[in-house]
mmCIF file of all heavy atoms in Angstrom:
data_model
loop_
_atom_site.group_PDB
_atom_site.id
_atom_site.type_symbol
_atom_site.label_atom_id
_atom_site.label_comp_id
_atom_site.label_asym_id
_atom_site.label_seq_id
_atom_site.Cartn_x
_atom_site.Cartn_y
_atom_site.Cartn_z
ATOM 1 N N GLU A 282 0.837 -1.198 0.037
ATOM 2 C CA GLU A 282 0.000 -0.019 -0.028
ATOM 3 C C GLU A 282 0.882 1.262 0.004
ATOM 4 O O GLU A 282 0.432 2.300 -0.553
ATOM 5 C CB GLU A 282 -0.917 0.000 1.217
ATOM 6 C CG GLU A 282 -2.039 -1.050 1.164
ATOM 7 C CD GLU A 282 -3.018 -0.977 2.325
ATOM 8 O OE1 GLU A 282 -2.548 -0.578 3.395
ATOM 9 O OE2 GLU A 282 -4.166 -1.319 2.144
ATOM 10 N N SER A 283 2.033 1.234 0.580
ATOM 11 C CA SER A 283 2.893 2.365 0.641
ATOM 12 C C SER A 283 3.594 2.673 -0.634
ATOM 13 O O SER A 283 3.695 3.821 -1.014
ATOM 14 C CB SER A 283 3.973 2.199 1.826
ATOM 15 O OG SER A 283 3.315 2.069 3.046
ATOM 16 N N PHE A 284 4.135 1.618 -1.272
ATOM 17 C CA PHE A 284 5.037 1.820 -2.401
ATOM 18 C C PHE A 284 4.493 1.349 -3.745
ATOM 19 O O PHE A 284 5.012 1.736 -4.809
ATOM 20 C CB PHE A 284 6.373 1.158 -2.143
ATOM 21 C CG PHE A 284 7.058 1.592 -0.868
ATOM 22 C CD1 PHE A 284 7.284 0.675 0.148
ATOM 23 C CD2 PHE A 284 7.334 2.924 -0.605
ATOM 24 C CE1 PHE A 284 7.867 1.066 1.309
ATOM 25 C CE2 PHE A 284 7.927 3.340 0.572
ATOM 26 C CZ PHE A 284 8.176 2.424 1.514
ATOM 27 N N VAL A 285 3.467 0.552 -3.724
ATOM 28 C CA VAL A 285 2.804 0.024 -4.989
ATOM 29 C C VAL A 285 3.862 -0.423 -6.008
ATOM 30 O O VAL A 285 4.046 0.122 -7.048
ATOM 31 C CB VAL A 285 1.878 1.028 -5.632
ATOM 32 C CG1 VAL A 285 0.967 0.309 -6.653
ATOM 33 C CG2 VAL A 285 1.002 1.749 -4.589
ATOM 34 N N PRO A 286 4.731 -1.428 -5.610
ATOM 35 C CA PRO A 286 5.848 -1.760 -6.524
ATOM 36 C C PRO A 286 5.474 -2.680 -7.690
ATOM 37 O O PRO A 286 6.209 -2.826 -8.632
ATOM 38 C CB PRO A 286 6.769 -2.487 -5.584
ATOM 39 C CG PRO A 286 5.856 -3.142 -4.555
ATOM 40 C CD PRO A 286 4.708 -2.178 -4.373
ATOM 41 N N ILE A 287 4.298 -3.335 -7.638
ATOM 42 C CA ILE A 287 3.889 -4.241 -8.670
ATOM 43 C C ILE A 287 3.097 -3.530 -9.725
ATOM 44 O O ILE A 287 2.079 -2.826 -9.374
ATOM 45 C CB ILE A 287 3.110 -5.454 -8.053
ATOM 46 C CG1 ILE A 287 3.857 -6.064 -6.888
ATOM 47 C CG2 ILE A 287 2.840 -6.537 -9.109
ATOM 48 C CD1 ILE A 287 5.232 -6.625 -7.268
ATOM 49 N N THR A 288 3.436 -3.748 -11.006
ATOM 50 C CA THR A 288 2.717 -3.009 -12.046
ATOM 51 C C THR A 288 1.354 -3.631 -12.364
ATOM 52 O O THR A 288 0.506 -2.869 -12.837
ATOM 53 C CB THR A 288 3.543 -3.101 -13.379
ATOM 54 O OG1 THR A 288 3.881 -4.452 -13.655
ATOM 55 C CG2 THR A 288 4.882 -2.334 -13.165
ATOM 56 N N THR A 289 1.146 -4.882 -12.107
ATOM 57 C CA THR A 289 -0.164 -5.520 -12.249
ATOM 58 C C THR A 289 -0.983 -5.405 -10.917
ATOM 59 O O THR A 289 -0.442 -5.203 -9.879
ATOM 60 C CB THR A 289 -0.001 -6.970 -12.645
ATOM 61 O OG1 THR A 289 0.793 -7.680 -11.642
ATOM 62 C CG2 THR A 289 0.682 -7.114 -13.963
ATOM 63 N N PRO A 290 -2.311 -5.477 -11.031
ATOM 64 C CA PRO A 290 -3.123 -5.361 -9.890
ATOM 65 C C PRO A 290 -2.796 -6.399 -8.761
ATOM 66 O O PRO A 290 -2.541 -7.589 -9.097
ATOM 67 C CB PRO A 290 -4.593 -5.516 -10.330
ATOM 68 C CG PRO A 290 -4.503 -5.176 -11.782
ATOM 69 C CD PRO A 290 -3.192 -5.584 -12.275
ATOM 70 N N VAL A 291 -2.806 -5.979 -7.493
ATOM 71 C CA VAL A 291 -2.577 -6.868 -6.392
ATOM 72 C C VAL A 291 -3.836 -6.808 -5.541
ATOM 73 O O VAL A 291 -4.323 -5.669 -5.208
ATOM 74 C CB VAL A 291 -1.328 -6.501 -5.559
ATOM 75 C CG1 VAL A 291 -1.238 -7.403 -4.335
ATOM 76 C CG2 VAL A 291 -0.098 -6.656 -6.416
ATOM 77 N N TYR A 292 -4.387 -7.964 -5.161
ATOM 78 C CA TYR A 292 -5.695 -7.978 -4.509
ATOM 79 C C TYR A 292 -5.498 -8.248 -3.000
ATOM 80 O O TYR A 292 -4.774 -9.190 -2.580
ATOM 81 C CB TYR A 292 -6.600 -9.096 -5.119
ATOM 82 C CG TYR A 292 -6.813 -8.858 -6.590
ATOM 83 C CD1 TYR A 292 -6.043 -9.499 -7.561
ATOM 84 C CD2 TYR A 292 -7.789 -8.007 -7.010
ATOM 85 C CE1 TYR A 292 -6.234 -9.288 -8.898
ATOM 86 C CE2 TYR A 292 -8.011 -7.750 -8.373
ATOM 87 C CZ TYR A 292 -7.248 -8.438 -9.303
ATOM 88 O OH TYR A 292 -7.467 -8.213 -10.600
ATOM 89 N N LEU A 293 -6.126 -7.416 -2.160
ATOM 90 C CA LEU A 293 -6.134 -7.583 -0.755
ATOM 91 C C LEU A 293 -7.346 -8.412 -0.432
ATOM 92 O O LEU A 293 -8.492 -8.022 -0.684
ATOM 93 C CB LEU A 293 -6.161 -6.189 -0.023
ATOM 94 C CG LEU A 293 -6.296 -6.290 1.506
ATOM 95 C CD1 LEU A 293 -5.126 -7.012 2.128
ATOM 96 C CD2 LEU A 293 -6.367 -4.846 2.039
ATOM 97 N N GLN A 294 -7.109 -9.615 0.140
ATOM 98 C CA GLN A 294 -8.180 -10.547 0.416
ATOM 99 C C GLN A 294 -8.300 -10.815 1.916
ATOM 100 O O GLN A 294 -7.295 -10.747 2.647
ATOM 101 C CB GLN A 294 -7.945 -11.856 -0.363
ATOM 102 C CG GLN A 294 -7.896 -11.584 -1.908
ATOM 103 C CD GLN A 294 -7.489 -12.767 -2.717
ATOM 104 O OE1 GLN A 294 -6.868 -13.704 -2.233
ATOM 105 N NE2 GLN A 294 -7.956 -12.799 -3.947
ATOM 106 N N HIS A 295 -9.481 -11.161 2.360
ATOM 107 C CA HIS A 295 -9.766 -11.332 3.774
ATOM 108 C C HIS A 295 -10.573 -12.589 4.063
ATOM 109 O O HIS A 295 -11.516 -12.849 3.326
ATOM 110 C CB HIS A 295 -10.514 -10.085 4.294
ATOM 111 C CG HIS A 295 -10.962 -10.207 5.745
ATOM 112 N ND1 HIS A 295 -10.045 -9.923 6.760
ATOM 113 C CD2 HIS A 295 -12.119 -10.492 6.308
ATOM 114 C CE1 HIS A 295 -10.703 -10.055 7.966
ATOM 115 N NE2 HIS A 295 -11.973 -10.413 7.675
ATOM 116 N N CYS A 296 -10.194 -13.295 5.099
ATOM 117 C CA CYS A 296 -10.944 -14.473 5.581
ATOM 118 C C CYS A 296 -11.425 -14.151 7.011
ATOM 119 O O CYS A 296 -10.567 -14.012 7.873
ATOM 120 C CB CYS A 296 -10.095 -15.716 5.516
ATOM 121 S SG CYS A 296 -10.939 -17.137 6.271
ATOM 122 N N PRO A 297 -12.707 -14.078 7.251
ATOM 123 C CA PRO A 297 -13.192 -13.779 8.631
ATOM 124 C C PRO A 297 -13.032 -14.885 9.594
ATOM 125 O O PRO A 297 -13.093 -14.693 10.806
ATOM 126 C CB PRO A 297 -14.688 -13.482 8.374
ATOM 127 C CG PRO A 297 -15.022 -14.237 7.134
ATOM 128 C CD PRO A 297 -13.810 -14.225 6.282
ATOM 129 N N MET A 298 -12.689 -16.125 9.145
ATOM 130 C CA MET A 298 -12.616 -17.266 10.013
ATOM 131 C C MET A 298 -11.154 -17.519 10.431
ATOM 132 O O MET A 298 -10.949 -18.365 11.310
ATOM 133 C CB MET A 298 -13.288 -18.462 9.373
ATOM 134 C CG MET A 298 -14.733 -18.328 9.059
ATOM 135 S SD MET A 298 -15.446 -19.773 8.281
ATOM 136 C CE MET A 298 -15.304 -20.976 9.582
ATOM 137 N N ALA A 299 -10.249 -16.937 9.721
ATOM 138 C CA ALA A 299 -8.809 -17.178 10.045
ATOM 139 C C ALA A 299 -8.444 -16.618 11.428
ATOM 140 O O ALA A 299 -9.141 -15.782 11.977
ATOM 141 C CB ALA A 299 -7.924 -16.601 8.973
ATOM 142 N N ASP A 300 -7.290 -17.087 11.933
ATOM 143 C CA ASP A 300 -6.746 -16.596 13.236
ATOM 144 C C ASP A 300 -7.823 -16.736 14.330
ATOM 145 O O ASP A 300 -8.115 -15.751 15.074
ATOM 146 C CB ASP A 300 -6.299 -15.168 13.078
ATOM 147 C CG ASP A 300 -5.428 -14.716 14.234
ATOM 148 O OD1 ASP A 300 -4.959 -15.602 14.988
ATOM 149 O OD2 ASP A 300 -5.177 -13.489 14.422
ATOM 150 N N SER A 301 -8.383 -17.934 14.436
ATOM 151 C CA SER A 301 -9.368 -18.286 15.482
ATOM 152 C C SER A 301 -10.578 -17.291 15.423
ATOM 153 O O SER A 301 -10.997 -16.752 16.424
ATOM 154 C CB SER A 301 -8.733 -18.228 16.885
ATOM 155 O OG SER A 301 -7.662 -19.134 16.974
ATOM 156 N N ASN A 302 -11.100 -17.106 14.175
ATOM 157 C CA ASN A 302 -12.261 -16.302 13.934
ATOM 158 C C ASN A 302 -12.038 -14.832 14.194
ATOM 159 O O ASN A 302 -13.004 -14.013 14.233
ATOM 160 C CB ASN A 302 -13.490 -16.793 14.759
ATOM 161 C CG ASN A 302 -13.981 -18.147 14.346
ATOM 162 O OD1 ASN A 302 -14.010 -18.378 13.113
ATOM 163 N ND2 ASN A 302 -14.355 -18.984 15.248
ATOM 164 N N LYS A 303 -10.775 -14.409 14.356
ATOM 165 C CA LYS A 303 -10.498 -12.972 14.458
ATOM 166 C C LYS A 303 -10.416 -12.316 13.079
ATOM 167 O O LYS A 303 -10.560 -11.137 12.962
ATOM 168 C CB LYS A 303 -9.152 -12.737 15.173
ATOM 169 C CG LYS A 303 -9.163 -13.233 16.595
ATOM 170 C CD LYS A 303 -7.806 -13.067 17.221
ATOM 171 C CE LYS A 303 -7.701 -13.655 18.626
ATOM 172 N NZ LYS A 303 -6.337 -13.560 19.162
ATOM 173 N N GLY A 304 -10.158 -13.130 12.063
ATOM 174 C CA GLY A 304 -10.085 -12.623 10.669
ATOM 175 C C GLY A 304 -8.636 -12.291 10.395
ATOM 176 O O GLY A 304 -7.886 -11.843 11.259
ATOM 177 N N ALA A 305 -8.280 -12.477 9.139
ATOM 178 C CA ALA A 305 -6.847 -12.243 8.687
ATOM 179 C C ALA A 305 -6.904 -11.885 7.216
ATOM 180 O O ALA A 305 -7.700 -12.360 6.479
ATOM 181 C CB ALA A 305 -5.937 -13.407 8.986
ATOM 182 N N ASP A 306 -5.890 -11.102 6.859
ATOM 183 C CA ASP A 306 -5.752 -10.650 5.438
ATOM 184 C C ASP A 306 -4.532 -11.306 4.784
ATOM 185 O O ASP A 306 -3.636 -11.781 5.470
ATOM 186 C CB ASP A 306 -5.643 -9.127 5.372
ATOM 187 C CG ASP A 306 -6.800 -8.434 5.966
ATOM 188 O OD1 ASP A 306 -7.905 -8.841 5.639
ATOM 189 O OD2 ASP A 306 -6.656 -7.398 6.655
ATOM 190 N N TRP A 307 -4.537 -11.272 3.440
ATOM 191 C CA TRP A 307 -3.346 -11.666 2.704
ATOM 192 C C TRP A 307 -3.396 -11.001 1.335
ATOM 193 O O TRP A 307 -4.432 -10.453 0.933
ATOM 194 C CB TRP A 307 -3.237 -13.162 2.581
ATOM 195 C CG TRP A 307 -4.269 -13.830 1.626
ATOM 196 C CD1 TRP A 307 -4.100 -14.119 0.281
ATOM 197 C CD2 TRP A 307 -5.639 -14.249 1.979
ATOM 198 N NE1 TRP A 307 -5.191 -14.692 -0.222
ATOM 199 C CE2 TRP A 307 -6.158 -14.794 0.750
ATOM 200 C CE3 TRP A 307 -6.351 -14.245 3.117
ATOM 201 C CZ2 TRP A 307 -7.451 -15.293 0.736
ATOM 202 C CZ3 TRP A 307 -7.625 -14.757 3.073
ATOM 203 C CH2 TRP A 307 -8.217 -15.226 1.914
ATOM 204 N N LEU A 308 -2.308 -11.042 0.607
ATOM 205 C CA LEU A 308 -2.201 -10.483 -0.708
ATOM 206 C C LEU A 308 -2.214 -11.583 -1.759
ATOM 207 O O LEU A 308 -1.693 -12.640 -1.510
ATOM 208 C CB LEU A 308 -0.917 -9.641 -0.887
ATOM 209 C CG LEU A 308 -0.795 -8.366 -0.085
ATOM 210 C CD1 LEU A 308 0.623 -7.800 -0.257
ATOM 211 C CD2 LEU A 308 -1.849 -7.367 -0.438
ATOM 212 N N SER A 309 -2.768 -11.266 -2.936
ATOM 213 C CA SER A 309 -2.794 -12.254 -4.007
ATOM 214 C C SER A 309 -2.593 -11.509 -5.333
ATOM 215 O O SER A 309 -3.081 -10.395 -5.481
ATOM 216 C CB SER A 309 -4.101 -13.020 -3.998
ATOM 217 O OG SER A 309 -4.152 -13.912 -5.161
ATOM 218 N N ASN A 310 -1.904 -12.127 -6.253
ATOM 219 C CA ASN A 310 -1.752 -11.549 -7.597
ATOM 220 C C ASN A 310 -2.840 -12.060 -8.544
ATOM 221 O O ASN A 310 -2.818 -11.791 -9.739
ATOM 222 C CB ASN A 310 -0.365 -11.860 -8.192
ATOM 223 C CG ASN A 310 -0.044 -13.333 -8.149
ATOM 224 O OD1 ASN A 310 -0.796 -14.137 -7.683
ATOM 225 N ND2 ASN A 310 1.147 -13.665 -8.600
ATOM 226 N N LYS A 311 -3.835 -12.767 -7.974
ATOM 227 C CA LYS A 311 -5.017 -13.242 -8.772
ATOM 228 C C LYS A 311 -6.282 -12.857 -8.001
ATOM 229 O O LYS A 311 -6.298 -12.885 -6.772
ATOM 230 C CB LYS A 311 -4.921 -14.751 -8.911
ATOM 231 C CG LYS A 311 -3.735 -15.211 -9.755
ATOM 232 C CD LYS A 311 -3.770 -16.708 -9.920
ATOM 233 C CE LYS A 311 -2.564 -17.221 -10.688
ATOM 234 N NZ LYS A 311 -2.516 -18.705 -10.850
ATOM 235 N N GLU A 312 -7.291 -12.506 -8.752
ATOM 236 C CA GLU A 312 -8.543 -12.112 -8.137
ATOM 237 C C GLU A 312 -9.292 -13.285 -7.483
ATOM 238 O O GLU A 312 -10.051 -13.111 -6.506
ATOM 239 C CB GLU A 312 -9.446 -11.430 -9.168
ATOM 240 C CG GLU A 312 -10.674 -10.717 -8.629
ATOM 241 C CD GLU A 312 -11.424 -9.971 -9.641
ATOM 242 O OE1 GLU A 312 -11.005 -10.005 -10.849
ATOM 243 O OE2 GLU A 312 -12.412 -9.306 -9.307
ATOM 244 N N GLU A 313 -9.039 -14.470 -7.994
ATOM 245 C CA GLU A 313 -9.726 -15.677 -7.460
ATOM 246 C C GLU A 313 -9.306 -15.859 -5.984
ATOM 247 O O GLU A 313 -8.144 -15.751 -5.606
ATOM 248 C CB GLU A 313 -9.351 -16.862 -8.282
ATOM 249 C CG GLU A 313 -9.964 -18.159 -7.803
ATOM 250 C CD GLU A 313 -9.448 -19.372 -8.565
ATOM 251 O OE1 GLU A 313 -8.538 -19.206 -9.420
ATOM 252 O OE2 GLU A 313 -9.998 -20.468 -8.357
ATOM 253 N N ILE A 314 -10.259 -16.236 -5.128
ATOM 254 C CA ILE A 314 -9.979 -16.478 -3.714
ATOM 255 C C ILE A 314 -9.410 -17.877 -3.552
ATOM 256 O O ILE A 314 -10.100 -18.870 -3.875
ATOM 257 C CB ILE A 314 -11.254 -16.327 -2.889
ATOM 258 C CG1 ILE A 314 -11.828 -14.930 -2.984
ATOM 259 C CG2 ILE A 314 -10.977 -16.725 -1.457
ATOM 260 C CD1 ILE A 314 -10.927 -13.842 -2.353
ATOM 261 N N LEU A 315 -8.162 -17.932 -3.096
ATOM 262 C CA LEU A 315 -7.531 -19.223 -2.741
ATOM 263 C C LEU A 315 -6.904 -18.999 -1.370
ATOM 264 O O LEU A 315 -5.890 -18.378 -1.218
ATOM 265 C CB LEU A 315 -6.460 -19.584 -3.775
ATOM 266 C CG LEU A 315 -6.930 -19.797 -5.209
ATOM 267 C CD1 LEU A 315 -5.772 -20.006 -6.165
ATOM 268 C CD2 LEU A 315 -7.859 -20.994 -5.273
ATOM 269 N N ASN A 316 -7.565 -19.578 -0.328
ATOM 270 C CA ASN A 316 -7.289 -19.265 1.046
ATOM 271 C C ASN A 316 -5.965 -19.994 1.566
ATOM 272 O O ASN A 316 -5.965 -21.170 1.607
ATOM 273 C CB ASN A 316 -8.486 -19.657 1.923
ATOM 274 C CG ASN A 316 -8.391 -19.074 3.294
ATOM 275 O OD1 ASN A 316 -7.364 -19.132 3.968
ATOM 276 N ND2 ASN A 316 -9.500 -18.567 3.794
ATOM 277 N N PRO A 317 -4.948 -19.210 1.945
ATOM 278 C CA PRO A 317 -3.688 -19.841 2.441
ATOM 279 C C PRO A 317 -3.833 -20.252 3.886
ATOM 280 O O PRO A 317 -3.001 -21.075 4.349
ATOM 281 C CB PRO A 317 -2.681 -18.715 2.296
ATOM 282 C CG PRO A 317 -3.450 -17.473 2.415
ATOM 283 C CD PRO A 317 -4.791 -17.741 1.849
ATOM 284 N N TYR A 318 -4.801 -19.777 4.615
ATOM 285 C CA TYR A 318 -4.905 -20.085 6.050
ATOM 286 C C TYR A 318 -5.630 -21.402 6.331
ATOM 287 O O TYR A 318 -5.460 -21.979 7.423
ATOM 288 C CB TYR A 318 -5.605 -18.930 6.809
ATOM 289 C CG TYR A 318 -4.878 -17.643 6.706
ATOM 290 C CD1 TYR A 318 -5.469 -16.505 6.164
ATOM 291 C CD2 TYR A 318 -3.512 -17.561 7.086
ATOM 292 C CE1 TYR A 318 -4.793 -15.304 6.094
ATOM 293 C CE2 TYR A 318 -2.855 -16.352 6.978
ATOM 294 C CZ TYR A 318 -3.405 -15.266 6.479
ATOM 295 O OH TYR A 318 -2.774 -14.110 6.360
ATOM 296 N N PHE A 319 -6.395 -21.832 5.394
ATOM 297 C CA PHE A 319 -7.096 -23.196 5.493
ATOM 298 C C PHE A 319 -6.731 -24.124 4.375
ATOM 299 O O PHE A 319 -6.999 -25.302 4.485
ATOM 300 C CB PHE A 319 -8.614 -22.965 5.526
ATOM 301 C CG PHE A 319 -9.104 -22.251 6.767
ATOM 302 C CD1 PHE A 319 -9.408 -20.912 6.727
ATOM 303 C CD2 PHE A 319 -9.197 -22.910 7.965
ATOM 304 C CE1 PHE A 319 -9.881 -20.219 7.849
ATOM 305 C CE2 PHE A 319 -9.629 -22.250 9.103
ATOM 306 C CZ PHE A 319 -10.015 -20.884 9.019
ATOM 307 N N GLY A 320 -6.167 -23.619 3.307
ATOM 308 C CA GLY A 320 -5.754 -24.511 2.222
ATOM 309 C C GLY A 320 -6.970 -25.212 1.573
ATOM 310 O O GLY A 320 -8.042 -24.669 1.424
ATOM 311 N N GLN A 321 -6.752 -26.495 1.289
ATOM 312 C CA GLN A 321 -7.763 -27.272 0.545
ATOM 313 C C GLN A 321 -9.042 -27.500 1.470
ATOM 314 O O GLN A 321 -10.063 -27.875 0.965
ATOM 315 C CB GLN A 321 -7.216 -28.607 0.112
ATOM 316 C CG GLN A 321 -6.037 -28.453 -0.815
ATOM 317 C CD GLN A 321 -6.378 -27.721 -2.069
ATOM 318 O OE1 GLN A 321 -7.380 -27.991 -2.727
ATOM 319 N NE2 GLN A 321 -5.499 -26.759 -2.439
ATOM 320 N N ALA A 322 -8.890 -27.334 2.756
ATOM 321 C CA ALA A 322 -10.043 -27.529 3.682
ATOM 322 C C ALA A 322 -11.157 -26.540 3.426
ATOM 323 O O ALA A 322 -12.343 -26.910 3.433
ATOM 324 C CB ALA A 322 -9.606 -27.509 5.113
ATOM 325 N N MET A 323 -10.816 -25.273 3.221
ATOM 326 C CA MET A 323 -11.818 -24.236 2.895
ATOM 327 C C MET A 323 -11.158 -23.289 1.882
ATOM 328 O O MET A 323 -10.801 -22.111 2.218
ATOM 329 C CB MET A 323 -12.202 -23.489 4.139
ATOM 330 C CG MET A 323 -13.147 -24.275 5.057
ATOM 331 S SD MET A 323 -13.998 -23.257 6.287
ATOM 332 C CE MET A 323 -12.596 -22.662 7.261
ATOM 333 N N LEU A 324 -10.937 -23.801 0.709
ATOM 334 C CA LEU A 324 -10.140 -23.101 -0.294
ATOM 335 C C LEU A 324 -10.687 -21.700 -0.729
ATOM 336 O O LEU A 324 -10.039 -20.753 -0.927
ATOM 337 C CB LEU A 324 -9.960 -23.983 -1.509
ATOM 338 C CG LEU A 324 -8.935 -23.511 -2.570
ATOM 339 C CD1 LEU A 324 -7.583 -23.465 -1.972
ATOM 340 C CD2 LEU A 324 -8.946 -24.466 -3.815
ATOM 341 N N SER A 325 -12.069 -21.669 -0.802
ATOM 342 C CA SER A 325 -12.671 -20.452 -1.377
ATOM 343 C C SER A 325 -13.200 -19.508 -0.287
ATOM 344 O O SER A 325 -13.999 -18.590 -0.580
ATOM 345 C CB SER A 325 -13.799 -20.820 -2.355
ATOM 346 O OG SER A 325 -14.778 -21.621 -1.688
#
């Protein structure tokens, strides 16, 4: 957010159930939701 170094769009994504239901964010270079905090268990 400070320096915007990537020329292509970067998507800020959020899962409300991550971190013991506290919610957590991550960055993705794809618009599709692929959850890194649950993986294949709750991918979308």
